[in-house]
Amino acid sequence: MRIVIAALLLAGCAGRGSVEDDRLALARKCAAWIESQPPSEKASLYSGSAGVALFQIAMHRATGETRYLELARAAAERMASQNHPDGGLYTGEAGAGLVFLELRDPRAAEIAGRVTWGKGLDVISGAAGIGLFLIRAGRLDRAREAGDFVLGHGPPWLVEVGDKTLYPNFAHGTSGVAFFLAALYSATKDDRYLRSAVAGAEWLQERSQDGAWFHHESGGKELFYAGWCHGPAGTARLFWLLHRITREQRWLDAVHRCATWTLACRRPTAGWWNVSLCCGTAGIGEFMIDLHRATGVAEYRDFAEKLAAELIASATAEGPGLKWIQAEHRVKPKDVAAQTGLMQGAAGIGIFFLKLGGRIELLPDNPF
């Protein structure tokens, strides 16, 4: 059935216009399925209202159609009335702040003024992710507070102060925290932040296994992921940003090693088991198309296009839209569902299709 769907989609796109038009048509199908579903009860950027709103904002900018902006504003209002368990960028109030910022809503400034990170250090829910939002919001005073907090606890950095498990990669680990510090240096030109970011990158380089890093210490050193969360598709962002800042060849070489490892990593593997923006096909495809546009290497573009074809082939049609049924968690392969959200659902896949059709970037942790 999915092969038939893929053939129909490709046939329907062929001859209508440019490749950009084809990718936009696919993104529209993602948006149509999301619109047909009940609104998320979650508020987060990761899997709830904030992430859906961000995708709808992207759709508005890609199409100029006000209906997508209206949907985004409605999602933002739901998000504003929902509970935020923490201040995190992907899990809490900073994610809401990012959406309000993109909507030019004054509530973004209110959130930037009050959001806190507690003991958290990482990109997902801690000071690093919140700090990236604060930089985007223009609150460098508060971003410096987050940066100074982070400086006192690494490298390497844990998920939060007092934690016992070390993750080296982007979502929960050293590469994500170091990325924030490099971004903070770019905004402030305070050398303390750059020195610490470089120290974090050098710590990672010492532990690289041909362009990839283990999932976690104490039981996870034989486990390697490919995607944004715990793999080279995310960790390479630090090296690219350091290359932009310093122009040093060693950081560009590190980016290409990440890409080479990823090109050789094929599903099914322990670290590439779903299609999501977080830890699967869409996130890896986004990395490849970003890297192609940054470096001009055709192999990266070709791989991104191949992954787009895989996504089309794995889609399930429902009404006027498309959805993807997958297991979110590697350790729960039988727990499958079709989700609407950004990092584990149709919104994130739609973002990837939009990016294939033209440059679009809303997330503050993407340096490409």
Side-chain angles (χ1 to χ4, degrees):
M1 180 62 179
R2 287 178 177 172
I3 294 174
V4 173
I5 291 169
L8 289 172
L9 284 170
L10 291 172
C13 289
R16 272 209 315 268
S18 67
V19 171
E20 288 78 10
D21 292 335
D22 297 344
R23 302 314 183 195
L24 181 57
L26 289 164
R28 284 184 185 277
K29 289 182 177 294
C30 296
W33 182 75
I34 292 169
E35 191 175 351
S36 74
Q37 299 303 296
S40 175
E41 296 180 0
K42 300 177 182 178
S44 72
L45 189 64
Y46 190 91
S47 59
S49 300
V52 169
L54 204 68
F55 170 52
Q56 290 163 336
I57 292 168
M59 287 296 296
H60 166 66
R61 293 178 183 174
T63 66
E65 296 177 19
T66 57
R67 62 181 302 273
Y68 289 118
L69 187 59
E70 292 167 357
L71 287 169
R73 286 172 174 159
E77 290 305 318
R78 289 192 298 274
M79 171 191 70
S81 66
Q82 293 168 318
N83 293 325
H84 299 282
D86 55 46
L89 176 60
Y90 281 92
T91 59
E93 199 167 31
L98 178 65
V99 173
F100 287 132
L101 194 64
E102 295 297 329
L103 290 172
R104 299 184 180 180
D105 188 307
R107 285 175 286 191
E110 296 172 10
I111 290 173
R114 67 171 181 257
V115 68
T116 59
W117 44 85
K119 295 182 179 180
L121 296 164
D122 68 352
V123 164
I124 286 280
S125 60
I130 295 168
L132 290 169
F133 159 66
L134 292 169
I135 293 171
R136 177 74 68 87
R139 287 298 305 267
L140 294 186
D141 56 334
R142 300 221 60 220
R144 281 179 174 273
E145 291 176 15
D148 293 345
F149 170 70
V150 163
L151 285 179
H153 297 286
W157 288 276
L158 301 169
V159 177
E160 63 177 35
V161 178
D163 202 350
K164 295 181 180 180
T165 302
L166 187 148
Y167 298 85
N169 290 289
F170 197 80
H172 291 304
T174 290
S175 65
V177 178
F179 176 89
F180 159 58
L181 290 173
L184 188 55
Y185 165 78
S186 293
T188 65
K189 299 300 182 284
D190 187 329
D191 287 337
R192 295 178 304 142
Y193 303 131
L194 180 59
R195 287 195 299 270
S196 193
V198 168
E202 290 173 341
W203 181 90
L204 285 161
Q205 288 291 75
E206 291 170 1
R207 289 155 181 81
S208 171
Q209 297 195 30
D210 297 322
W213 291 263
F214 60 83
H215 186 272
H216 64 278
E217 285 189 343
S218 303
K221 284 195 171 182
E222 303 303 318
L223 178 62
F224 289 82
Y225 278 21
W228 170 88
C229 56
H230 292 288
T235 293
R237 295 180 176 203
L238 167 62
F239 302 131
W240 179 256
L241 182 54
L242 287 177
H243 172 65
R244 275 180 44 195
I245 292 170
T246 69
R247 310 311 300 175
E248 292 181 20
Q249 184 66 33
R250 60 172 173 160
W251 303 127
L252 182 58
D253 291 343
V255 172
H256 287 303
R257 281 194 295 274
C258 289
T260 299
W261 186 93
T262 306
L263 288 170
C265 177
R266 300 299 293 128
R267 286 190 302 167
T269 70
W272 185 351
W273 69 93
N274 71 20
V275 300
S276 74
L277 200 60
C278 175
C279 42
T281 305
I284 294 165
E286 180 192 40
F287 168 50
M288 288 295 170
I289 197 64
D290 281 339
L291 195 52
H292 163 67
R293 289 179 177 144
T295 66
V297 176
E299 185 178 15
Y300 301 152
R301 178 202 61 216
D302 294 344
F303 195 65
E305 294 288 354
K306 184 176 182 179
L307 296 183
E310 288 186 10
L311 283 168
I312 295 169
S314 65
T316 298
E318 184 172 286
L322 291 175
K323 65 181 181 180
W324 283 263
I325 301 169
Q326 64 169 9
E328 177 177 346
H329 302 287
R330 175 185 58 83
V331 295
K332 298 178 181 179
K334 295 182 180 180
D335 187 4
V336 299
Q339 298 184 50
T340 59
L342 182 69
M343 300 306 287
Q344 292 286 358
I349 294 170
I351 287 284
F352 170 53
F353 285 135
L354 286 177
K355 183 165 284 191
L356 273 177
R359 194 169 187 87
I360 185 166
E361 188 52 62
L362 297 176
L363 290 167
D365 59 64
N366 192 317
F368 292 102

